[in-house]
Amino acid sequence: MSEHASKAVEPARPMLTVNNIEVIYDHVILVLKGVSLAVPQGGIVAILGANGAGKTTTLKAISNLLHAERGEVTKGSIEFNGDRVDRLSPNELVRRGCIQVMEGRHCFGHLSIEENLLTGAFTRRDGNRAIRADLEMIYDYFPRLRQRRSSMAGYTSGGEQQMCAIGRAMMSRPKMILLDEPSMGLAPQVVDEIFEIVKDLNSKQGVSFLVAEQNTNMALKYATYGYIMETGRIVMDGDAASLRDNEDVKEFYLGIGGEGRKSFREVKSYKRRKRWLA
Amino acid sequence: EDSIYVPLFTYRTGPFAGSGTPIANGMHDYLTLLNERDGGIGGVKLIVEECETGYDTKKGLECYESVKPKKPVIVNPWSTGITLPLIPKAAVDKIPVLSMAYGLSASAKGDTFPWIFNPPATYWDGFTQILQYIATQEGGGVEKLKGKKIGYIYLDASFGREPLPLIEQLSKELGFEAKLYPVAAADMQNQSSQWLSVRRDKPDYMILYGWGALNATAVKEAVKTNYPMEKFISIWWPSEDDAKGAGDGAKGFKTLNWHAVGADFPLLADIQKHVVDAGKSQVSGKDKVGQVLYNRGIYNSMLIAEAIRKAQEITGNKVVTGEDVRRGLEGLNIDEARLKEIGLEGFTSAVKLSCADHNGHFSTFVQSWNGTTYEKVSDYIAPLSDKVGPLLDADAKAYAEKNAPWPARSEACDAS
Amino acid sequence: MNAASETLLSVDGVSLSFGGVKAITDVSFDIRKGEIRAIIGPNGAGKTSMLNVVNGFYHPQHGRITYKGKTRPRMRPYQAASQGIARTFQNVALFRGMTTLDNIMVGRTLKMHRGLFWQMLRYGPAMREEIEHRRVVEDIIDFLQIESIRKTPVGKLPYGLQKRVELGRALAMEPELLLLDEPMAGMNIEEKEDMCRYILDLNKHFGTTIALIEHDMGVVMDLSDRVVVLEYGHKIADGTPEVVKADPKVIEAYLGVGH
Amino acid sequence: MFYRETGQFKQSYAADQAVFPILQDRIGLAIILLVAFVVVPLFGNEFLLASVMVPFLILSLGAIGINILVGYTGLLSLGSAAFMGVGAYSAYKLSTIFPGVNILVWILCSGFFAAGVGVLFGLPSLRIKGFYLAVATLAAQFFLQWCFVRISWLYNDNPSGAIEVPARTLFGIAITGPSATPVTRYLVVLAIVVVMTLLASNIVHGRIGRTWMAVRDMDIAAQLMGIRLLPAKLLAFAVSSFYCGVSGALMVFLWLGAAEPSAFDIKLSFLLLFMVIIGGLGSMIGSFFGAALIHILPIVIRMLPEALGLPIAAATVEHLTYLIVGGLIIFFLIVEPHGLARLWQIAKQKLRVWPFPY
Amino acid sequence: MLYNIFIDPFVQMAQMPDLLVQTLWEGLVSGVLYALIALGFVLIFKASGVFNFAQGIMVVFSALTLVGFYEKFSAYGFSGHTAAFVALILTAGVMFVLAMLIERVVLRPLVNQPDIILFMATFGITYMLIGFGEMVFGGDPKQMIASELFLPSGSVDVEMLGGMVSFQKIDIAAAVIASVMIAGLALFFQKTRIGRALRAVADSHKAALSVGISLNQIWVIVWFAAGLVALVTGIMWGARSDVSFALEIVALKALPVLVLGGLTSVPGAIVGGLIIGIGEKLGEFYWGPLLGGGIESWFAYAIALLFLLYRPQGLFGDKIIERI
Ligand SMILES: Nc1ncnc2c1ncn2[C@@H]1O[C@H](COP(=O)(O)OP(=O)(O)OP(=O)(O)O)[C@@H](O)[C@H]1O
Ligand SMILES: Nc1ncnc2c1ncn2[C@@H]1O[C@H](COP(=O)(O)OP(=O)(O)OP(=O)(O)O)[C@@H](O)[C@H]1O
Ligand SMILES: [Mg+2]
Ligand SMILES: [Mg+2]
C-alpha cells in the first residue's frame, strides 16, 4: 500500500481523519472492516469503488447518520478539525461545519423547493439577509431550481431533487461537504456544473469535500486525492493524478483499458471483477 | 388450618375505578372486620383476597379461573359482563354467584338458576319502583301516570337496555309516553345531543340508568339544561361524586337505594375502629366510610357473611363449601333482630331469600341529593311484582330454552 | 436493425400538465418493434413523465398512445402490464421488505393462475406452478449474476444491485416493451458495461423492444438505435445517435460542449 | 453450533421453496407441536389451559388475521374487533337456527360472514391510505358494535343483550358450554389454530402473499407489475376478516362462554394490532410472540407477587403491571423495532455464526 | 319513511329555530372541544410523523396532576386562586419533564423507524402513564378546579327566535381559548424557522438529521407543546364532566376530526372539529331518533369517511405524494 507516499503529498493538516473504523449493521452484519482515510483542509477527496463497497456507509459513519439505520461504529475513531466527533449528534456536526448530501436525494417531499433550501440553513445564526443572499447564490448555480421554487419537492423530477439536495447542504455554509453520488441522475451538463461548483466552493470559500462517486472520470478530474474501496476495505489510495495513471484503475474504473475507450456494444463477455484484496 | 376462602372481584383501576373503589373498600372492610373482631365467622377465619378485574370481562374470567382451584365459597363478579359467562359454569363448578342487583334479572328464578343470586331487586323492579314514586309525586297511584311523558336516558348496553321491553309494555298499560335517550359507551361524557332532545321533548320526568362517568355527566347536563332536578330519578348506582360535580344545581337529584347512607351504625363504627384506624383498609379518607357505594359494598359483604353463617348452621360444619353456601343463600333470613345483632339496625330492610326466589324483589326507597349527601325522601316502595313477575318467568324459560340442554334443577331445597 | 420493421408503440401529440406545470407538450414519436430507443433530455424535461404516460400511470390531457395497433383512451397500469409493458424506475421502486427472489417472483404474478384454494394447500398444483416459475426466475438470477443475494431483503442492498434486481423483476414479466428509467445511474463503468450487455442480450436474443432513459451519453450513443430528445416537455430532436449528437439544439440544451 | 445450515443443500426448488427450509427449524417445530399437543394437556392445570393457553391461541389467530392485513398488505385497520364480533354473532345465530349441525362447522363458517363484512368495509381502502384508512376502519368498529347492541335479532332478543353459548358436543364430548373441560377446549382450539396457521402461512408464502407484500411495500410499482390493487386489497380484507371472524367465534364459544357487545370493543382492536406490531409485522410466528407478550406477560406479572409471597394489593399489582408492560413494549421496540420475530431471527443469526460475534 | 328522513327534520328546524340554534351551538362547542384534542395529535404528527396514541391519556394525566397539586396546596392552606395557579405552573413543569423523558427514553432510540413503530411506542407510553397515574392519583374521579382558575360558570341565556337559547360561559371560554391557541399554532408552523423544521422532521427523520436539525430539541418542544395542549384540553373537558380515567375514551372522538381535517393541518383540526361536532349533533338530534338514537358513536366516523372518499388526505392535509 502506498500509505507513506500519501503522507508526502498531503497539502495541509487534515480536516477530517477516519482511523480504522469498523461498522456493523443490525448487530450482525459487518460492513466496514477497518477503514482509514483523511481529508486535508481545503482538499477534494474522492472515494471510489464498486456497488456495495461501503462508500455510503463510510460517509454515514462520518456524519453520524448510521445510528438512524441501526448501524454502529464499533471500532476506530473519527476526528473533525482535531476533535473526536464519532459520539456527536448529526446536528452538532452540522453546526461544526460538516454536512452530508445523502445518496438518493432525500428531499422533504411536502415542503416546497425553497423551503427545502431554507431548512438547510437551520443551524445558521447569521441572520436572514445572509441566508437570502445564499439562496440567491444557489438559484444562480441551479437556475432550474429557481423556476420550480414553489413546487412541492415531492413532485419535482429526479434531477431537480438532486440539485435541491445539494443546494440545501450548501445553504448551511459548511466547512466540509460529504457528497454521496452527486452526479447520479443528472444531465451531463449539470454534472459538469456540479463539479465546477465543487471546485468553485473549494477554491473561493475553502470548503473541503469528500466525494463518493461512481463517475470515476469526473471524480478523479476534480479531486486532489482518491481512495479506492472494495468490500469494506480501502484497497488503494493516492493522489488523483497517480490513480488516473494506474493501469488497474484505468481498466476497471475508467473503462479505458490498454487500447483506449471502447464502445459499450463491444464489451464481449461479462468480466469478473478483479479484487485487490480478499 | 381451617379457613374459608372468599375472593372479591374488584375494579380499582380502569375507567370505572371511581365506582369500583368504594364498593371494593366496603366489601373488603366488612369481611376484614369479621376477621379482626370476631376471628372470622363461627370461629373460622376468612381468607379475603381481591382480584382486580378492571371491569373487563376477560380479566374477570381470568380471575375466576385463578381463584377456582382455591375452592371459593362464593364469587361476586361485580360486572354483568363477567356474571353472564359464570351463570352456566356455576352449577358445574359448584360455586354460587352473587350478583347483587345486577347481572341477569331472570336469575332471580331459583328453579332455573339454583346457583345464581341477585338480591335485593332487579332492574325491572327498580323501574317500577321509580314509576310508583313518580305516581306518588303526582299524588296518587300508577293511574296518575296516564298522559305523562317520561324520559329514559340510559347506557346503550345490555344494562340500560334491559328495561326497554318493560317500558314498552307499561307505557301501553299505564298510558304514559316514553322517550328514549340512549348514550353509547364511547359518548358517556358527551351527552349534549341527548339533553338537547330532552329540551325539545320536555318530558315530565327523567329516569337514568347509567354507570360511571355517564351519571356524573348526565347530572351536569341536566343542570345545564335547567331540567328540574326533583324530577330526575336514577336507578341505584350514582354516587356522591356523581352529583357533587354539578354543584348546587344538582340539589334534588334522586336515586333509588335500599340501604342507608352514612356511618352512623355500630357496625361501621367497629369498622372504623378495627379496620380503618388499624390501617387495614384501603379507604383514602375517613369520610369515605358511609358513602353510598361504600355501604353498598358493606351490604354485599353482609349477604356473604350471613350466607356463610347460615351454611354453617344448616350443615353443622365449621368449614363450609360452595355448595353449603348456596344452601345458606337460599335459606338466608336476615330479619330486623339479626340486623340489630350485626350492628346495622335500620341500615336496610329485612332480607329473606328462598329456593324459588333468589332475588327477593325487596322494596327500595328514593333518596335525594342535598348538596353534601343523599337523604332518604320516601318510604320503602315495593316493586310492581304483578308486572315484573311474568316477564321474569318468561325470560327464565326463554333462557333455558335458548341454552338447551339447560340442566334441570337437581339441588334439593332445604326446608326453611 | 431493420428500419422498416413495424411500429410497436406510437405517441401522437401527447400533452401532460400538472396544474400549472407543463411536463409534456405535444410530443410525438414512435418505437419500432425490436429496437432500442433512447429518450434523453435535461433534468425535468419530462422523460420520466413520458414513460409514466406510456404505461398508464399518468393520463395525458391531449394526444393518443397506440400500442400494438390499439389505441386506448385511458390505460390502467395493470392493463399495460398485462399487455407486455414492463419497466424499471428512476428512484428504485423495489418492494423493500421482500427478498430478491420474491421481488422477481412478483414479476411473474401475471403468469401465475392458481387461486386462493390451491395456494392455501400449497402442495400439489400450486407448488408445481411455483416451482415452474421459480425455474424461470432462477434463470433470470443467473443471467444477472445476483445468485449470492437471492435471499437478501432488497432494502439492504447497495444501490447498484437494487437497480439490477429491478431489472430482473421487469424481465420476469417477459415484456415485449421494456421501459428503463436511468438503469445505470449510480454505477461505475464496469457495472455499466455489465448492464449494457444485459440490455443488448435481451434485445438481441429475446427481441425485447427497449425504451431507455439515460444520462450517460456514452451508453446512449453506443446502445440505441434511435434517440428522442426532450427539453421542457417539447421534442427537440429525433433520429439516429449520430444525427442527434450533431444537432446544435441538442448540444446547446443538453450535451454541453464537452461531449 | 447446533444451528448450522451448512451441508444442507437443496436438491430441488421444491425443497428450497418450503416454508421451513432448515432442518433445525423443522425439528424445533415438531418439538413445539409435540409439547403443545401432548405435554401441555397432560401436565397443564386448568388455569394454564383455560386462562392462559386458550386465550393465547385464540388471540394469536386473531393476530394472524390482522397481520395478513396490516403486516402483509400494509393496510392499517382498527376494526378487527368488530370483525371478530361478526364472526361471533354469526356463529351464534347459525348455531341457534340450526342446532343440529356441529358447532365447529358453524364456527368455521362464521369466518365467511366476517369476510363478507370485511370486504364491504375494505372498499374505501382503494382510495384511503395509512392512518386515514385506520380511521375509516374505526367507522366499521363503531358501526358494527352499535349493530350488536341495536339489532336484537342478532342476539335472539336476549334481555341480557348478550350471546350465550349453548352446550354442544363433538363425538359425544362436550366442547362448548360449562361442562366442556379446559383440556378439550384447549385441544379443539389448538387444532383449529394450527391448521389455520398452516393455511395462512401457505398463502403468504405463495403468489398471493407476494402480491400483498408488493402492495404493502410500494403499491404504485405493484400496479405497474400488473397487480390490480382493489382485488388484492379486498382479498386481504376477506382473508384477514375470515381469520378474525373465526377467532371471534372461538373467543365466545370456547373461551368466554358468553359475550356482550363490549367484548368486541375498540380496546380489543388496539390490543390485537399491538400484538401484531410488537410481535413482528409480516411474520406468522410474530403473531404468536405478540399474543404471548401482550396476553401472557401481564398474567405472569400479576401472579408473581403471590408466588413470591409479597403482600401487594391487587390494585397496586395492576398498576405495576401496566407500568411494566408499557416499559417492556418500549424496551422491545428499541431493541428491535421489527418486532420479536426479528429478534428471534437475529438470535438465530447469532447462533449461526457462534462462537464469533459476527 | 322518506318523509321522516328528508322533510320532517327540516320542518322541525323551521318550527323550533331556537332549538336549532342551540343544537348548532352545542355542536360548535363539542367541535371546539374535539378540535382541542385533535390539536394535540396534529402537533405531534405534524412535527414528527408520530401518531401519538398517548394524547388521550396525557389529557387525563395533566388534568389529574393539576388537581392533585391543587389539593396538596390547598391542604397547606393556600388560597384557592394562588394554589390553582401555582398548581398550573407546576403541572406545566411536569409536562415538560414528561416531554424530556419521552424524548430521551423513547423517541431518541427510535429515530428513523417506520411510523407504525413509533405509534406502537406511544402505546407503551400510554400504558406507563395509566399505571403511574393510577398509582399516584388513584382511580376516583376528581372535580376540576374551574372557578379557581377564573373560568366562568353559569350561562348566558338569550331570548331569541321565540325561545330561550342558553350559552354556557365555560363553553364560550373554551371556544375563545381554543381559537387563540389554534391560530397561534397555525402561524407558528407556517411562518417560523422552527415550524419549517418541524414539518421537515415529519417528512423524513433521516434527511432532517442530515441537514442538522436537532431532532432531540424539536421533539422536546413539540411534546411539551402537546402536553400543554393536553392540559388545556383536560381543564376544559374536566370542567364539563369529572376528571377521571374515563376521559381517555373521549380521545377517540378526536380521530374522525383529525382525519377529516387532515392529520397535518392545524386549521384542519378546528374545521374538522366543527364539521364533526355540528354534524354529529344535528344528526343525532334530528335524524338519530329514526334509528333509535345513540348513533353519535359512529356518525362522526361516517361523516369523516364520506369526506375522505372525496379527499383521501383530509380537507386540509398535505397531499399524499404519489410519484414514481
Ligand atoms: N441498513 C443496512 N442494513 C444492513 N446492511 C446494509 C445496510 N445498509 C447497507 N448495508 C450493506 O453494506 C454494504 C455497503 O453498502 P453501501 O451502501 O455503503 O455501499 P456503496 O459503496 O455506497 O454502494 P453504491 O455504490 O451501490 O451506493 C452493502 O453490502 C450493503 O448490503
Ligand atoms: N405528479 C406531478 N405533479 C407535479 N409536477 C410533476 C409531476 N410529475 C412530474 N412533474 C414535473 O414535470 C416535469 C418533468 O418531470 P420528469 O420527472 O418527467 O422529468 P425527467 O425528464 O424525468 O427529469 P430527470 O432527468 O431529472 O429525471 C418536472 O418539472 C416535474 O417537476
Ligand atoms: Mg452508496
Ligand atoms: Mg426522470
Side-chain angles (χ1 to χ4, degrees), chain B residues 246-260:
Chain B
D248 285 345
K251 277 184 195 163
F253 169 63
K254 296 189 170 52
T255 80
L256 286 188
N257 201 351
W258 64 81
H259 57 73

Side-chain angles (χ1 to χ4, degrees), chain A residues 26 105 144 265 270 272, chain C residues 91 145 156 201 222-223:
Chain A
D26 266 348
R105 292 136 204 158
R144 181 80 201 166
R265 269 189 190 270
Y270 310 133
R272 288 291 157 200
Chain C
N91 279 328
Q145 296 173 312
K156 295 193 168 166
D201 275 4
D222 287 352
L223 292 194

Side-chain angles (χ1 to χ4, degrees), chain B residues 19-54:
Chain B
S19 317
T21 309
I23 293 174
N25 283 334
M27 289 202 293
H28 178 267
D29 292 356
Y30 185 102
L31 296 178
T32 312
L33 173 75
L34 296 186
N35 271 342
E36 295 297 313
R37 190 188 61 186
D38 312 341
I41 301 173
V44 188
K45 254 214 153 22
L46 304 174
I47 297 182
V48 181
E49 210 173 64
E50 285 187 23
C51 187
E52 175 66 35
T53 68

Side-chain angles (χ1 to χ4, degrees), chain A residues 79-99:
Chain A
E79 281 167 30
F80 180 69
N81 263 340
D83 304 323
R84 286 255 330 230
V85 292
D86 40 325
R87 292 275 171 269
L88 291 185
S89 61
N91 67 297
E92 181 53 36
L93 204 63
V94 173
R95 189 156 287 151
R96 292 186 187 193
C98 176
I99 193 163

